[in-house]
Amino acid sequence: MKTYWVTGGAGFIGSHLCESLLRDGHKVICVDSFADNYDYRFKVRNVLESLGMEPAFEHRDREDDLRRLQEAANSEQYRLEPADIRDGEALDRLFAACPPDVVVHLAALPGVRASIERPALFYDVNVVGTLRLLEAMRTHGTVKWVCASSSSVYGDNAKVPFEEGDPTGRPISPYAATKKSCELMGYAYRHLFGIDVVMLRFFTVYGERQRPDLAIRKFASLLSDGKPVPMYGDGSTSRDYTYVADIVDGIRHAADYVERHSGVYEIVNLGGSRTVSLARMIETLEQAWGERAAIDRQPMQPGDVLRTYADPAKARTLLGFEPSTPFEKGIERFVSWYRRQKTWEAGLRKPG
Ligand code: NAD
């Protein structure tokens, strides 16, 4: 049994990772500030679902909700810490109380478009926050680090598939620039302080508990309300969609790898290894939903890359990562989860 810190463990990917670690008997310290990138009540629900607890929760106000959530969630095996990674003193206290074997760092403000609206805040959380975490790790002698980067660091890479050695010096959004900065900071801490690092470049992750700002969930919500679904450009932009259970599998392999090796700094793509156009994504969602969508044609969005497509070779050889969920199957699972929770979600949107 190992102890894992999961920063961002109340989020979409983090809650699935916590669930997987707990299922295998590991101890999890979930560090999450319940940031306002989307409604904190989605994250409360993620935590409850990840612990196999009834998602029904009587919401009052944020502070009270988080206190009651901690009371319900905390156990010998799981500790929820509603802390901000920019708070170095809180991290110090927590490292002293709960030293981990491995830190999996997923906490961040994600999203290209939101980063164009709030670039300074994205920089503060994603870059300064990551730096504070690395400093706390160094102070407390924790040297095993897995960190979430993003396919967005490839910018408008013309060559496909994207290999880890391709140029990444030209990010086209503040979000991509913050993720590239984390990669660079990880390298410096490996060089200076012997922290072993695996940086994982995730490619568009989807599945149950997907963030409400991401296209597939937004489109599901529009379909369910009978509203038109936006099609940006001519629908030919494409993404290497990766099912969340496959991403969790890749993170677990990376955590095992970093634990077993010393003196390492690796950057690895975690993608589904095929690319799906926006038009095809909408069709697949329609098929799983069982209804056609009205299409609202919109111009391409600034900061969006034309396509992403991971070369999986390094993930396969270094980590033994083999994504196994076909896109159609992953979408079916997402839709069936979304249908189960949409009444709850609709209730959140009501005023008051
Ligand atoms: P998410 O927003 O659901 O999860 C991130 C979590 O970090 C949230 O629960 C949030 O409350 C927490 N957080 C934010 N600021 C914090 C702070 N200052 N201190 C502590 N916690 C804080 O997003 P996600 O989609 O699960 O993304 C997880 C990670 O994966 C992020 O680093 C993201 O950049 C990266 N990533 C995600 C995707 C994707 O498709 N979802 C793709 C590439 C990279």
Side-chain angles (χ1 to χ4, degrees):
M1 191 193 90
K2 306 268 178 210
T3 301
Y4 292 83
W5 268 43
V6 181
T7 73
F12 161 42
I13 300 171
S15 64
H16 283 279
L17 175 64
C18 293
E19 187 174 346
S20 162
L21 291 166
L22 293 169
R23 201 184 302 125
D24 289 346
H26 297 292
K27 194 168 169 182
V28 171
I29 317 297
C30 169
V31 183
D32 199 301
S33 66
F34 292 77
D36 72 351
N37 59 321
Y38 54 92
D39 191 326
Y40 78 94
R41 291 173 293 181
F42 283 92
K43 297 172 190 181
V44 170
R45 191 183 165 102
N46 289 345
V47 169
L48 293 168
E49 279 193 4
S50 72
L51 296 173
M53 298 170 88
E54 188 50 51
F57 189 88
E58 192 207 326
H59 290 285
R60 294 176 198 156
D61 67 67
R62 189 176 177 284
E63 292 319 307
D64 189 31
D65 285 359
L66 295 186
R67 190 184 44 72
R68 286 182 296 119
L69 179 65
Q70 268 183 299
E71 277 167 19
N74 283 356
S75 68
E76 273 292 294
Q77 213 196 339
Y78 180 85
R79 175 165 171 172
L80 174 66
E81 278 297 326
D84 193 308
I85 51 162
R86 290 168 294 174
D87 181 348
E89 284 175 16
L91 293 182
D92 273 341
R93 276 196 301 277
L94 201 50
F95 267 108
C98 312
D101 295 294
V102 180
V103 173
V104 180
H105 178 40
L106 305 175
L109 291 180
V112 163
R113 291 177 202 168
S115 78
I116 300 171
E117 310 281 318
R118 306 201 283 180
L121 183 63
F122 270 63
Y123 182 86
D124 198 33
V125 171
N126 297 0
V127 183
V128 178
T130 297
L131 197 49
R132 295 257 158 77
L133 178 67
L134 283 166
E135 272 297 286
M137 287 178 63
R138 160 173 106 82
T139 311
H140 292 270
T142 297
V143 294
K144 303 292 179 187
W145 198 53
V146 176
C147 176
S149 182
S150 159
S151 60
S152 62
V153 300
Y154 290 107
D156 257 334
N157 198 10
K159 173 187 147 288
V160 288
F162 298 176
E163 288 175 74
E164 288 83 352
D166 288 350
T168 50
R170 293 184 179 171
I172 63 168
S173 68
Y175 171 66
T178 66
K179 287 290 167 184
K180 184 68 203 169
S181 305
C182 293
E183 294 187 355
L184 297 172
M185 205 65 79
Y187 189 84
Y189 273 68
R190 157 82 217 103
H191 177 77
L192 290 170
F193 308 117
I195 293 183
D196 297 310
V197 178
V198 179
M199 299 290 323
L200 296 172
R201 289 181 180 160
F202 299 162
F203 283 66
T204 318
V205 189
Y206 73 99
E208 299 90 320
R209 303 180 208 146
Q210 193 186 31
R211 290 196 336 251
D213 58 303
L214 286 174
I216 292 177
R217 184 155 176 179
K218 265 200 323 219
F219 291 6
S221 170
L222 291 167
L223 255 170
S224 118
D225 291 349
K227 292 186 180 152
V229 165
M231 169 97 79
Y232 302 106
D234 63 1
S236 66
T237 56
S238 58
R239 294 288 176 271
D240 187 335
Y241 291 102
T242 318
Y243 184 58
V244 67
D246 288 328
I247 284 285
V248 166
D249 189 51
I251 299 172
R252 298 276 315 259
H253 277 89
D256 289 346
Y257 176 87
V258 85
E259 242 226 314
R260 282 187 280 105
H261 293 81
S262 290
V264 289
Y265 175 87
E266 297 289 352
I267 295 181
V268 186
N269 287 337
L270 284 191
S273 313
R274 69 232 168 301
T275 190
V276 175
S277 71
L278 175 59
R280 176 79 196 123
M281 182 271 267
I282 294 173
E283 254 173 56
T284 311
L285 196 57
E286 288 175 332
Q287 275 158 12
W289 193 263
E291 273 173 48
R292 295 301 301 271
I295 301 295
D296 173 18
R297 294 204 170 266
Q298 302 249 354
M300 284 282 294
Q301 301 291 294
D304 272 4
V305 299
L306 292 175
R307 63 183 155 180
T308 65
Y309 186 8
D311 184 324
K314 185 170 178 187
R316 189 179 294 134
T317 50
L318 193 82
L319 305 179
F321 172 68
E322 292 286 353
S324 62
T325 314
F327 186 59
E328 293 70 17
K329 178 56 73 188
I331 289 290
E332 271 172 31
R333 289 187 191 145
F334 164 76
V335 164
S336 121
W337 169 84
Y338 185 78
R339 282 189 196 284
R340 286 198 306 276
Q341 64 85 65
K342 76 182 169 111
T343 316
W344 171 83
E345 188 175 325
L348 291 186
R349 284 187 254 144
K350 287 202 195 103

